[in-house]
């Protein structure tokens, strides 16, 4: 049996639509409906806009987008460190992403609607099997 | 579909009842509604029971084990925050369809102290939990961002949203059923600790326990039981249609607008005909959005509306005379039945010091995130 590349053994994305290729940069994967063009984050069984069940096209989503809206979270579930910036980022493919904004203090005055942001990835935790869990966030450009 | 009337309502004061069980809370409310209608369990042909946190525990049947096991159909309903209002609609549809003449809707909930911060666990290995890593799916942040979207579109401010909290807390002082009956000032709201910006502590509904019930009856039989039947002019339930961001950022607006359009058409009225509204102010930000969603003001005018006091009791269209979820509390399963109780009391002229004078038509609105929207239009006949 062939051994899997080392990168796949030790690095695991926090969500399936975050792709960590052995070579090249991490990226978010989307899927586009062949019929109506609606684009989704991650894989889809069918299109919830036009109901098409045809296989969708995989799309490598842009790593740059614009800040749509945000909230500064000061109280969260137990164990979640606060405060932090929770946000919705719009990507040029017509996909929105829920994410944290890093790289600025969590204060509304540091955030502008439509400001350009760039995706970054980092190891956030180690899972039960000892793999590095990799998450993405966005930071102002 | 035939005309249906609400002939009895009842609720217990929302608050904390750790010594009681959920069915006991529901039973108390059911007894109040039965007494109000002047009927008893043998008259009830179907029960729709709303409860969310114990939705696998047959709460409806357990209520009947307390108040009377008549063997009638019992439907247990779960639909997020719209749980109680969906149960009400089931009870309504059962009579409107002609299948039954008299039904009961009950909503009950015990929330514990986690409230709307509960849930959100990823299951499996906690190392893959996304909460706080990929933004937030918890209600305070979701409704915070919904408010921020309104700021982005129309330039509304945190102060506009804070005024909703001031208004609803003021209203609550006259509602003996409200969990909190305390006035708060604008500075106090703005200076309170932030939960999820722009919502501060006083701009978030409290957690608590509660129960409410309503008896529905075909209009042709209603006058046998009451001199003040309240007609259900429309009972609407929508889910979220496809919109661009909805799968990532829950869209609480479109399904409310769809529900409003349908409700006004069914009731044969427009927003200008409403005398009062109880709407889903789970967070202060939500209330302003719904002014526009329900059409009581134009696009982008919600901020001005709260500035002018148009939605205070005594204003053009009083909203949340009960104190709203912000003061009255939001025991999820009970909420949608309780706001029907409130509107019914106003239409009967029985709302005490918070009475909206001369109220003839009222609306009760609920959003369950995920999403479900219910609207009930109630009318004095
Ligand atoms: Zn499609």
């Amino acid at each position: 049996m062939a051994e899997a590349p080392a990168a796949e053994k030790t690095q695991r994305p926090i969500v399936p639509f975050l792709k960590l290729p052995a070579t090249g940069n991490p990226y978010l994967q989307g899927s586009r409906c062949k019929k109506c063009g609606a684009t989704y984050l991650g894989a889809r069984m069918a299109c919830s806009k036009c109901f098409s069940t045809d296989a969708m096209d995989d799309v490598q989503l842009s790593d740059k987008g614009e800040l749509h809206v945000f909230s500064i979270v000061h109280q969260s579930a137990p164990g979640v460190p606060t405060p932090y910036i929770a946000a919705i980022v719009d990507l040029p493919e017509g996909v929105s992403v829920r994410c944290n904004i890093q790289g600025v203090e969590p204060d509304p005055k540091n955030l502008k609607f439509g400001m350009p942001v760039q995706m970054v990835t980092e190891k956030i935790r180690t899972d039960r099997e000892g793999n590095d869990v990799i998450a993405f966030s966005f930071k102002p450009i | 579909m035939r005309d249906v009337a609400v002939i009895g309502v009842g609720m217990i004061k929302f608050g904390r009842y750790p010594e009681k069980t959920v069915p006991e809370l529901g039973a108390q409310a059911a007894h109040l509604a039965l007494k109000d209608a002047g009927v008893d369990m043998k008259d009830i042909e179907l029960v729709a029971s709303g409860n969310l946190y114990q939705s696998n525990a047959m709460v409806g049947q357990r209520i009947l084990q307390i108040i009377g096991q008549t063997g009638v159909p019992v439907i247990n309903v779960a639909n997020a925050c719209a749980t109680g209002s969906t149960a009400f609609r089931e009870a309504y549809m059962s009579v409107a369809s002609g299948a039954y003449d008299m039904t009961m809707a009950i909503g009950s909930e015990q929330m514990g102290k986690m409230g709307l911060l509960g849930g959100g666990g990823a299951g499996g290995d906690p190392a893959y939990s996304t909460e706080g890593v990929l933004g937030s799916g918890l209600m305070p942040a979701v409704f915070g961002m919904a408010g921020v979207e309104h700021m982005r579109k129309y330039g509304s401010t945190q102060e506009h949203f804070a005024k909703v909290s001031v208004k609803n807390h003021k209203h609550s002082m006259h509602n003996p059923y409200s969990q909190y009956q305390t006035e708060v000032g604008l500075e106090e709201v703005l200076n309170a600790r932030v939960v999820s910006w722009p919502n501060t502590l006083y701009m978030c509904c409290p957690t608590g326990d509660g129960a409410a019930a309503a008896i529905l009856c075909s209009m042709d039989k209603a006058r046998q039981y009451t001199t003040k039947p309240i007609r259900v002019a429309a009972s609407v339930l929508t889910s979220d249609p496809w919109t661009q961001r909805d799968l990532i950022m829950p869209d609480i607006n479109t399904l409310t607008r769809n529900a409003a359009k349908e409700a006004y058409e069914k009731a044969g009225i427009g927003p200008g005909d409403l005398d009062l509204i109880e709407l889903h102010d789970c967070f202060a930000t939500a209330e302003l959005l719904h002014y526009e969603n329900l059409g009581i003001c134009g696009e982008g005018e919600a901020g001005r509306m709260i500035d002018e006091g148009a939605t205070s009791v005594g204003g053009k269209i009083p909203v949340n005379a009960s104190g709203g979820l912000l003061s009255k509390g939001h025991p999820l399963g009970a909420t949608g039945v309780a706001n029907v109780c409130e509107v019914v009391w106003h239409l009967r002229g029985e709302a005490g010091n918070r009475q909206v004078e001369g109220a003839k038509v009222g609306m009760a609105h609920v959003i369950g995130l995920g999403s479900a929207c219910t609207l009930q239009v109630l009318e004095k006949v």
Side-chain angles (χ1 to χ4, degrees):
Chain A
M1 209 174 83
E3 272 192 32
E8 283 183 24
K9 251 187 178 173
T10 59
Q11 293 205 333
R12 298 278 173 82
I14 187 166
V15 284
F17 55 82
L18 173 62
K19 300 297 176 186
L20 306 171
T23 57
N25 292 327
Y27 64 92
L28 299 179
Q29 176 145 302
S31 40
R32 181 175 290 135
C33 175
K34 282 192 174 78
K35 212 168 195 171
C36 76
T39 310
Y40 298 90
L41 194 57
R44 297 277 305 182
M45 251 178 72
C47 179
S48 56
K49 184 183 185 189
C50 78
F51 329 129
S52 166
T53 53
D54 296 346
M56 294 201 183
D57 293 324
D58 287 341
V59 188
Q60 180 173 336
L61 300 170
S62 171
D63 64 351
K64 292 188 182 66
E66 289 184 353
L67 176 67
H68 175 58
V69 292
F70 61 89
S71 177
I72 314 292
V73 179
H74 289 264
Q75 186 183 353
S76 185
V80 174
T82 56
Y84 68 92
I85 305 165
I88 303 293
V89 163
D90 288 348
L91 302 181
E93 290 80 14
V95 173
S96 299
V97 185
R98 198 172 81 195
C99 60
N100 280 16
I101 300 289
Q102 310 252 24
V104 289
E105 287 300 307
D107 186 317
K109 72 177 188 298
N110 296 331
L111 299 156
K112 300 272 172 290
F113 299 127
M115 73 195 284
V117 289
Q118 162 120 37
M119 190 179 87
V120 290
T121 54
E122 63 176 331
K123 176 198 163 180
I124 52 150
R125 300 181 190 116
T126 304
D127 74 9
R128 282 177 188 148
E129 294 162 4
N131 300 297
D132 290 349
V133 178
I134 308 297
F136 67 89
S137 59
F138 283 79
K139 62 172 191 191
I141 297 173
Chain B
M1 295 291 233
R2 60 179 176 164
D3 273 0
V4 178
V6 177
I7 60 165
V9 292
M11 70 180 279
I12 60 169
K13 176 178 160 50
F14 287 177
R16 293 197 199 280
Y17 301 97
E19 75 290 358
K20 294 260 199 272
T21 67
V22 167
E24 283 169 347
L25 298 179
Q28 280 183 288
H31 270 153
L32 291 169
L34 290 166
K35 194 176 168 209
D36 186 48
V39 301
D40 64 38
M41 270 310 292
K42 71 177 186 311
D43 300 305
I44 302 297
E45 298 166 76
L46 175 143
V47 174
S49 167
N51 175 277
L52 195 61
Y53 283 13
Q54 293 186 24
S55 56
N56 60 352
M58 304 298 262
V59 169
Q61 285 83 345
R62 286 160 63 208
I63 291 171
L64 295 202
Q65 286 164 11
I66 299 171
I67 63 173
Q69 291 175 269
T70 52
V72 297
V74 174
I75 311 166
N76 289 288
V77 178
N79 217 7
C81 300
T83 291
S85 54
T86 305
F88 180 87
R89 185 169 181 273
E90 283 305 304
Y92 162 80
M93 293 296 285
S94 300
V95 176
S97 67
Y100 302 95
D101 287 334
M102 195 182 296
T103 62
M104 175 158 62
I106 312 171
S108 58
E109 203 77 57
Q110 254 176 345
M111 295 197 44
K113 290 202 169 186
M114 272 311 289
L116 296 182
L117 288 175
D125 191 334
Y128 292 90
S129 168
T130 60
E131 187 57 35
V133 176
L134 303 186
S136 177
L138 298 181
M139 297 303 114
V142 167
F143 283 92
M145 291 192 290
V148 170
E149 194 173 51
H150 195 270
M151 291 175 160
R152 177 178 181 151
K153 273 166 94 174
Y154 301 119
S156 47
T157 63
Q158 188 186 27
E159 194 171 312
H160 284 127
F161 297 123
K163 284 179 180 174
V164 169
S165 172
V166 173
K167 169 182 71 76
N168 291 354
H169 279 92
K170 193 171 182 191
H171 287 170
S172 77
M173 294 178 69
H174 305 293
N175 184 1
Y177 297 97
S178 183
Q179 183 169 354
Y180 294 97
Q181 293 160 45
T182 320
E183 200 167 6
V184 291
L186 183 60
E187 288 308 308
E188 205 179 340
V189 173
L190 288 169
N191 292 331
R193 71 180 170 83
V194 178
V195 174
S196 206
W197 194 86
N199 287 319
T200 68
L201 184 64
Y202 294 118
M203 297 160 76
C204 304
C205 64
T207 64
D209 313 329
I215 314 292
L216 295 97
C217 176
S218 62
M219 184 57 85
D220 53 7
K221 294 198 172 156
R223 290 203 189 271
Q224 294 174 26
Y225 302 98
T226 178
T227 53
K228 295 176 180 174
I230 301 299
R231 192 172 85 92
V232 182
S235 179
V236 172
L237 171 63
T238 58
S239 64
D240 40 346
W242 190 91
T243 57
Q244 177 80 38
R245 291 190 189 85
D246 179 53
L247 295 172
I248 305 299
M249 177 185 174
D251 173 6
I252 63 169
N253 301 312
T254 309
L255 83 167
T256 301
R257 286 166 188 241
N258 288 352
K261 185 169 182 285
E262 191 180 332
Y264 291 133
E265 272 169 24
K266 281 195 168 139
I269 61 166
D273 298 314
L274 295 174
D275 298 308
L276 79 151
I277 300 173
E278 286 288 306
L279 65 73
H280 205 70
D281 59 328
C282 49
F283 296 88
T285 44
E287 178 164 321
L288 283 201
L289 272 53
H290 294 314
Y291 291 174
E292 292 162 25
N293 293 336
L294 297 177
I296 59 170
C297 68
E299 297 301 326
E301 290 176 4
R304 200 179 74 197
M305 210 173 188
I306 191 83
D307 281 343
E308 290 172 352
T311 54
S312 296
V313 170
K316 197 179 93 189
I317 169 72
V319 172
N320 289 328
S322 66
L325 311 189
L326 289 177
S327 295
K328 186 173 63 177
H330 181 22
L332 312 179
T335 291
V337 185
N339 68 12
V340 167
C341 295
E342 178 72 10
V343 172
V344 165
W345 285 323
H346 283 275
L347 299 181
R348 289 183 186 163
E350 297 171 357
N353 289 337
R354 65 189 187 283
Q355 176 69 42
V356 173
E357 291 306 325
K360 292 189 176 61
V361 186
M363 176 182 266
H365 160 263
V366 180
I367 283 264
L369 204 78
S371 296
C373 176
T374 57
L375 282 181
Q376 327 290 346
V377 177
L378 302 170
E379 198 177 74
K380 189 177 171 180
V381 290

